[in-house]
Amino acid sequence: MPNPTAMMALQLLDEGLTVRRVARAAASDIGALRRTVARRSGPMLCTGLLDSWPARAAWHPAALAERHGARRVTALLDLPDTGVLFPQDQRRYERELSFAEFVERVETAEPSAPCYLAYQRAHEIFDPADCDFAALLPPDGYPTDTRVWIGSAGTRSMLHSDLKDNFFCQLWGEKSVTLLAWRDSRAAYPFPDNLVNSQVDLAAPDLRRFPRLKGAVLHHVRMGPGDLLYIPRGWWHDIRAHSPSVSVNHWFGRPLGLTQYLAQLGGLGPAYWKATARDFVVHGLLSRAESTRFFFSPPSTGKRLYDALRSGDFSRGNDPSAS
């Protein structure tokens, strides 16, 4: 019987969608990874590059609970297992508890009510030297940001797009990742008020509502302990955990900017222009708070455009290295 990651790929194929495997580098071929990053030629899965990292041995739940169990953390508990938006504001799922209590929840949570300690800056809990990203790619002068993701089976980061290049590393447990190129952003059907989050649930794609998916090419990969996935900036990605897991990601490089997002906005049509104008006024000029029903909601497109006109930085509120 196929495992859950294979089942999702088979389901996408059954829907008539085009699904390709992510390119793989030979074990420990850091040169292939660096060439792919330099060209941004597409995603790439690498094995063997993380074997020397202390995190590979030290960052499994039992060891983390032993070393950091008394630390207080704010985690997301009893998350929904279906739908693209949260039924309630994200803050309704937040609970403060000890790290040891959270690890116990990770190991016992049902996939129908997963829990997540997500988007956590690595250095705030762990030794950043446990993950040697500088050995993979020398610094290029742009700010970087490293985040940790610890959760139970069933956690989901729904289809979304990041403004920077990304190394996504699986340290413990298994996840699957499905990707869509930035050039195919219209097929991702972004929310009208938010260009970096998709309305599409790839676990149950509605091709009547989202017909452009039929002409797009998806890329799919299963990740296990020690795997590194390079996700080029702008590429849409959907990440799902099939077991309790520990992951770390590293954003780096020059971000997408105002020019690229305005070009994307221009091709999406009047509904998007109207939503952007509305949010420019409501959340920019009038400074009204925005809801947080996306997973770690970025500012709306209108608010980002307002920030760009004031500060020159379209992604001021969406660049994790700047917050």
Side-chain angles (χ1 to χ4, degrees):
M1 183 177 180
N3 64 35
T5 59
M7 289 176 66
M8 183 170 175
L10 289 172
Q11 181 179 353
L12 293 170
L13 288 169
D14 287 343
E15 295 284 353
L17 301 179
T18 302
V19 183
R20 296 177 181 169
R21 292 183 178 179
V22 169
R24 293 173 179 259
S28 301
D29 188 353
I30 195 168
L33 175 64
R34 289 175 175 173
R35 289 191 296 272
T36 299
V37 171
R39 293 193 284 260
R40 292 197 179 95
S41 52
M44 173 172 280
L45 184 74
C46 301
T47 59
L49 297 182
L50 313 182
D51 288 348
S52 63
W53 284 12
R56 284 279 288 111
W59 289 23
H60 61 82
L64 291 174
E66 182 177 349
R67 292 169 59 191
H68 307 286
R71 182 184 291 272
R72 305 296 292 179
V73 296
T74 300
L76 302 174
L77 304 184
D78 299 320
L79 290 167
D81 65 336
T82 59
V84 176
L85 290 174
F86 289 141
Q88 306 176 76
D89 191 288
Q90 179 178 295
R91 288 166 290 200
R92 297 287 296 273
Y93 302 96
E94 293 178 351
R95 299 289 185 274
E96 183 179 315
L97 68 173
S98 72
F99 192 84
E101 291 171 326
F102 170 71
V103 169
E104 183 177 355
R105 294 287 296 258
V106 165
E107 295 173 336
T108 60
E110 294 292 333
S112 59
C115 60
Y116 220 174
L117 179 62
Y119 207 61
Q120 178 72 51
R121 288 189 186 276
H123 70 268
E124 292 177 351
I125 297 182
F126 311 124
D127 185 347
D130 286 350
C131 300
D132 190 7
F133 286 104
L136 299 177
L137 200 67
D140 58 6
Y142 291 100
T144 63
D145 191 51
T146 303
R147 301 276 178 156
V148 177
W149 310 77
I150 304 172
S152 64
T155 57
R156 307 173 299 144
S157 295
M158 302 297 286
L159 191 63
H160 68 283
S161 171
D162 295 329
L163 73 160
K164 287 193 171 187
D165 290 311
N166 186 5
F167 286 152
F168 185 81
C169 305
Q170 191 64 19
L171 300 177
W172 190 79
E174 292 190 349
K175 287 184 174 179
S176 65
V177 185
T178 307
L179 305 105
L180 178 70
W182 165 259
R183 66 177 176 272
D184 292 328
S185 288
R186 292 182 75 245
Y189 290 89
F191 280 90
D193 60 348
N194 196 308
L195 294 186
V196 297
N197 284 320
S198 170
Q199 301 177 70
V200 177
D201 182 355
L202 289 179
D206 184 343
L207 298 184
R208 290 185 179 181
R209 186 181 174 194
F210 307 120
R212 286 193 292 270
L213 275 172
K214 295 179 182 178
V217 176
L218 299 169
H219 301 255
H220 186 81
V221 65
R222 182 195 67 81
M223 296 184 66
D227 286 345
L228 178 150
L229 176 64
Y230 166 60
I231 304 175
R233 68 180 191 179
W235 273 64
W236 297 82
H237 47 287
D238 172 294
I239 303 175
R240 298 170 189 258
H242 303 290
S243 68
S245 69
V246 179
S247 313
V248 61
N249 87 286
H250 182 73
W251 283 295
F252 63 94
R254 183 178 182 179
L256 291 169
L258 178 60
T259 300
Q260 290 95 335
Y261 280 109
L262 285 180
Q264 182 194 30
L265 179 64
L268 287 170
Y272 289 80
W273 309 337
K274 181 179 178 181
T276 298
R278 178 199 64 210
D279 292 336
F280 182 94
V281 174
V282 173
H283 303 300
L285 291 172
L286 300 181
S287 300
R288 293 181 183 172
E290 299 188 89
S291 64
T292 54
R293 293 181 62 199
F294 298 105
F295 191 65
F296 294 97
S297 297
S300 64
T301 307
K303 177 61 163 62
R304 294 172 69 183
L305 183 58
Y306 174 82
D307 289 339
L309 294 178
R310 293 197 65 194
S311 68
D313 185 359
F314 180 71
S315 294
R316 186 184 66 172
N318 192 43
D319 184 349
S321 66
S323 60

